[in-house]
Amino acid sequence: MPLLRLENVSKDYNVNQGFMAGRGIRLSALAGVSLTLTPGQTLALVGESGCGKSTLSRLALALERPSAGRVFFSGQDLNALSPRRLRALRTQMQIVFQDPATSLNPKMTVREILSEPFIIHNRKENMEEEIIFLLRAVGMAPEQARLYPHQFSGGQRQRIGIARALALRPSLLLADEPVSALDVSVQAQVLNLLLTLKEQFGLTYLLIAHDLSVVTHLADRLAIMYLGKIVETMPAAALESFAGLHPYTQALWRSAPSLTPGRKPPPLTGEMPSPLAPPSGCRFHPRCPEALSLCAREEPALQEIGPGHFRACHLEARL
Amino acid sequence: MTNTLEIKNLTVILEGRDKAPLKIIDRLNLSLAPGEILGLVGESGSGKSMTALSVMGLLPPGVRISQGEIFFKGRNLTALTPEKLRSLRGLDIGMVFQEPMTALNPVFTVGRQVAEVYTAHLGLSKKQAWQEAVTMLGKAGMPDPARRAGHYPHQLSGGMRQRVLIAMAMALNPALLLADEPTTALDVTIQAQILALLGQLVQEEKSACLLITHNLAVVAQMAQRVAVMYAGRLVEVAAIEQMFSAPLHPYTQGLWACLPAQARAGEKLPVIAGTVPSLGEVPPAACSFAPRCPQALDLCRQAEPALLNLNGDRRVACFLRHQERK
């Protein structure tokens, strides 16, 4: 059974503020997305700002309700659960935030921060031992429990955030850009820690990133999003068979500067259009270097073009 | 030909109220030839942004240059009055910052903010200046510049705002462009566009550019030379091909090795143990990297290695490398 399953999920927001007031305009942040995450997998959601990846993650954790479609966690429909059942299920899904400086309460010691999950979910027996165990698991010393967040470096704060997320032994860990606020040498330490903890705690990861190069190091599967849609999902290894990839995936990959010295022309011109007025047909067609006339008229569906590799594109698969 | 920028023995300190001053930049030497892009790389707290602020004379309160000189086209900037320095900024020295939202004034249209460069420095009329601003926004890749010039910063995307900043910085063809993390806040496809634009403008105007970033791949794309800072000191300077094919300093080697792009997916990355020292933790008479260095000798903890020329323009501050060359 999949750990997390999104079935044709959409999310619209009413845009009724400021100069938009009273126009009844709806912003489609997520449009008919389906996704499956099996236990033990690491799935990376990749896309640029405004593509809907954060909306998707909020729906996956039942922090928001979808406008249409259903979200299942361990087979249970999250939006059909009673608040009490949902609260109990929440211990199974935890988050690591992007910026450890703003996601830890500066007035609490590390011990207090790590106690919170136990107190909230009323699991206070063995709490002290648990906190020491968690600190050790993320590579910190138990004596550091009496310190405050500002006494730590960025990398250590991210370790504290990870320890807090692990406190209730979740099965799903959602990490929203977990290393993008960190220095290069610290990024590697945290990426290694995430690899170790996955084994140790038997975790399933849902990673969110705007840059392919870092997440591909951790991910088994990738889901590439553009303007509220998944345009491609595939095994991470499929990035190597570059030619058959969705033109947007290719552009994302080639946009990331490489370590080979020398200039490269930018693969894409223009910017992502507003989700208030998404383009007709394929939402990527106005920026697509290979767009056909068909692309402006008809929206492509996700089609399997290789084992576990789904792509929404009218171009012939060249695998 | 004189260098566009020549930083000599620059030391910048943070003065404490009742504590001894802390060194933010420690005896930095750096030069930049006309038309050259130099990448200045380092992790947070290494002093790379303070280097740019020193050049512009915009150091925050409590921070000052205690030693050394900065020459811009042969003129000593550290000896100039604040008024003289202000007239150079924007005219001869352009600046692009990381966060385009905070660098723009939210209550004026972007066209007016670009036009201000022309009225302030060239004394153009408002109408002429607006025309020039629209042309410059177009050069900076702004689509439909005549209409966009009338927009306020909040109406533009992050990439568009960065184009406005670049238009302002490059408006008067400055001899020197200081770019501090110009693409860090941007999405990858927009980053690629902005980098290409910066490279093209710098080349057309033959400006020298100091590109400050923590992203090694951005440097590989843009720069001809790269200088690596660690804890306020330069540890290695080399041409881009040399640095990326064989870094010499153990810190640079560690930094290069821990990039995920260099490793196989799912495998542990080699890491540099420990963390970057904070101000005041840097040992004064020792190599600043010695506490984290896997190859450190006793000597490294007792004396500070100089930044020595190895061959040509390649400089490295490491006793191990110095000994190998003897």
Side-chain angles (χ1 to χ4, degrees):
Chain A
M1 183 172 59
L3 184 63
L4 179 72
R5 188 156 61 90
L6 277 75
E7 233 180 56
N8 212 11
V9 170
S10 297
K11 180 71 187 173
D12 298 336
Y13 292 101
N14 265 323
V15 187
N16 264 329
Q17 285 171 348
F19 70 102
M20 299 291 233
R23 296 195 201 173
I25 297 171
R26 294 180 80 74
L27 181 151
S28 153
L30 211 57
V33 165
S34 298
L35 196 68
T36 319
L37 189 54
T38 53
Q41 218 175 37
T42 299
L43 173 74
L45 279 179
V46 185
E48 299 180 273
S49 11
C51 72
K53 58 192 193 294
S54 301
T55 303
L56 193 156
S57 65
R58 284 200 297 275
L59 294 172
L61 298 184
L63 297 171
E64 291 201 50
R65 297 177 77 86
S67 311
R70 296 203 289 174
V71 182
F72 296 92
F73 187 88
S74 294
Q76 302 177 72
D77 185 340
L78 284 181
N79 297 291
L81 289 177
S82 70
R84 252 187 75 197
R85 293 279 305 283
L86 181 60
R87 195 177 148 106
L89 202 59
R90 280 246 162 84
T91 62
Q92 290 299 303
M93 32 173 129
Q94 293 290 320
I95 281 203
V96 175
F97 296 96
Q98 172 174 6
D99 185 358
T102 54
S103 55
L104 301 175
N105 188 332
K107 292 181 172 179
M108 287 184 167
T109 63
V110 171
R111 171 173 286 106
E112 286 164 340
I113 289 170
L114 296 182
S115 307
E116 283 222 304
F118 299 106
I119 296 169
I120 290 169
H121 289 279
N122 209 11
R123 292 192 193 171
K124 281 181 275 188
E125 68 278 11
N126 306 328
M127 192 170 80
E128 273 305 305
E129 291 84 347
E130 275 293 317
I131 289 173
I132 291 169
F133 170 78
L134 287 170
L135 282 171
R136 289 216 169 100
V138 297
M140 294 179 67
E143 303 81 64
Q144 291 175 308
R146 59 185 169 77
L147 302 177
Y148 289 89
H150 75 266
Q151 294 171 290
F152 293 95
S153 66
Q156 284 174 311
R157 277 186 221 138
Q158 194 59 299
R159 288 173 194 268
I160 299 166
I162 293 171
R164 176 177 62 185
L166 292 176
L168 300 171
R169 299 290 189 282
S171 39
L172 176 69
L173 195 68
L174 185 138
D176 189 351
E177 306 267 9
V179 297
S180 59
L182 303 177
D183 269 321
V184 183
S185 72
V186 182
Q187 271 190 9
Q189 296 173 359
V190 173
L191 289 175
N192 282 351
L193 177 66
L194 288 172
L195 282 170
T196 311
L197 294 174
K198 183 170 191 258
E199 294 298 315
Q200 190 183 347
F201 289 83
L203 294 165
T204 305
Y205 283 152
L206 181 57
L207 303 176
I208 297 185
H210 70 282
D211 182 350
L212 270 170
S213 55
V214 171
V215 284
T216 46
H217 187 69
L218 295 181
D220 316 314
R221 280 191 72 75
L222 303 172
I224 315 294
M225 296 188 68
Y226 188 79
L227 207 56
K229 294 258 178 192
I230 289 180
V231 298
E232 189 160 36
T233 65
M234 58 186 168
L239 266 182
E240 283 158 27
S241 62
F242 194 72
L245 298 179
H246 193 285
Y248 180 62
T249 311
Q250 292 192 22
L252 264 187
W253 187 238
R254 286 192 292 140
S255 290
S258 79
L259 291 171
T260 318
R263 300 266 166 83
K264 296 186 297 186
L268 285 187
T269 54
E271 301 191 355
M272 197 187 305
S274 161
L276 284 170
S280 63
C282 170
R283 293 181 170 203
F284 183 57
H285 88 263
R287 296 175 77 194
C288 182
E290 300 173 72
L292 314 166
S293 59
L294 172 67
C295 302
R297 296 194 307 268
E298 217 173 283
E299 187 172 349
L302 278 169
Q303 282 183 322
E304 187 158 15
I305 59 166
H309 186 169
F310 296 82
R311 191 187 75 160
C313 180
H314 289 305
L315 296 172
E316 293 234 341
R318 285 159 300 183
L319 281 182
Chain B
M1 191 161 47
T2 49
N3 280 325
T4 306
L5 182 70
E6 188 86 49
I7 300 177
K8 283 190 172 154
N9 214 20
L10 178 74
T11 301
V12 172
I13 56 166
L14 170 70
E15 288 180 319
R17 216 166 283 163
D18 24 50
K19 283 178 275 183
L22 300 170
K23 276 185 189 168
I24 297 175
I25 301 172
D26 193 4
R27 287 157 296 158
L28 179 86
N29 287 288
L30 213 53
S31 65
L32 206 55
E36 182 186 38
I37 301 184
L38 172 72
L40 185 59
V41 178
E43 299 184 273
S44 36
S46 61
K48 56 191 194 305
S49 291
M50 285 296 169
T51 304
L53 293 175
S54 305
V55 174
M56 295 185 294
L58 293 176
L59 287 172
V63 178
R64 65 178 181 87
I65 296 174
S66 69
Q67 200 196 118
E69 284 112 29
I70 301 168
F71 293 95
F72 172 68
K73 295 205 284 192
R75 287 168 79 185
N76 186 356
L77 294 183
T78 50
L80 290 184
T81 60
E83 290 73 34
K84 282 257 172 65
L85 206 51
R86 191 184 311 137
S87 69
L88 278 180
R89 287 197 294 263
L91 183 65
D92 263 347
I93 305 178
M95 304 161 264
V96 180
F97 300 101
Q98 173 175 357
E99 204 4 273
M101 194 61 211
T102 50
L104 290 170
N105 189 329
V107 301
F108 295 124
T109 62
V110 295
R112 176 168 166 175
Q113 296 184 58
V114 180
E116 206 177 20
V117 178
Y118 296 100
T119 51
H121 288 288
L122 300 186
L124 295 190
S125 73
K126 277 192 176 170
K127 204 174 161 194
Q128 286 171 313
W130 184 270
Q131 281 311 318
E132 292 289 332
V134 170
T135 311
M136 191 61 221
L137 283 170
K139 264 202 214 169
M142 180 73 84
D144 196 1
R147 192 171 63 88
R148 292 286 191 176
H151 283 186
Y152 290 88
H154 76 269
Q155 292 172 289
L156 302 177
S157 67
M160 292 294 168
R161 290 198 284 258
Q162 201 56 290
R163 289 181 193 277
V164 175
L165 279 194
I166 291 172
M168 285 167 78
M170 298 302 291
L172 303 176
N173 311 338
L176 174 64
L177 178 70
L178 302 168
D180 190 355
E181 304 275 7
T183 58
T184 304
L186 303 176
D187 275 319
V188 280
T189 64
I190 307 302
Q191 164 169 285
Q193 295 173 10
I194 296 291
L195 288 179
L197 170 70
L198 267 180
Q200 177 212 331
L201 289 179
V202 165
Q203 198 170 3
E204 280 172 11
E205 310 300 346
K206 298 190 177 50
S207 306
C209 173
L210 183 66
L211 176 68
I212 297 172
T213 177
H214 69 284
N215 189 329
L216 301 172
V218 166
V219 170
Q221 285 259 292
M222 300 289 292
Q224 286 101 46
R225 276 195 310 143
V226 54
V228 182
M229 280 186 94
Y230 183 79
R233 296 176 191 162
L234 275 183
V235 295
E236 186 165 0
V237 184
I240 203 89
E241 287 82 11
Q242 288 178 326
M243 188 73 97
F244 280 81
S245 57
L248 290 181
H249 195 282
Y251 172 64
T252 324
Q253 291 173 341
L255 209 53
W256 259 240
C258 72
L259 294 171
Q262 310 272 65
R264 288 186 45 191
E267 274 179 15
K268 289 280 166 63
L269 300 164
V271 297
I272 307 175
T275 50
V276 179
S278 53
L279 288 178
E281 276 179 14
V282 185
C287 169
S288 51
F289 187 61
R292 301 174 72 189
C293 182
Q295 305 167 46
L297 314 166
D298 285 341
L299 175 63
C300 305
R301 298 185 191 89
Q302 290 152 9
E304 189 197 330
L307 191 66
L308 288 189
N309 255 340
L310 291 188
N311 48 13
D313 201 19
R314 181 147 214 195
R315 294 186 288 158
V316 60
C318 177
F319 286 125
L320 290 154
R321 299 295 100 80
H322 298 169
Q323 287 177 353
E324 284 164 13
R325 297 291 162 129
K326 268 176 196 161

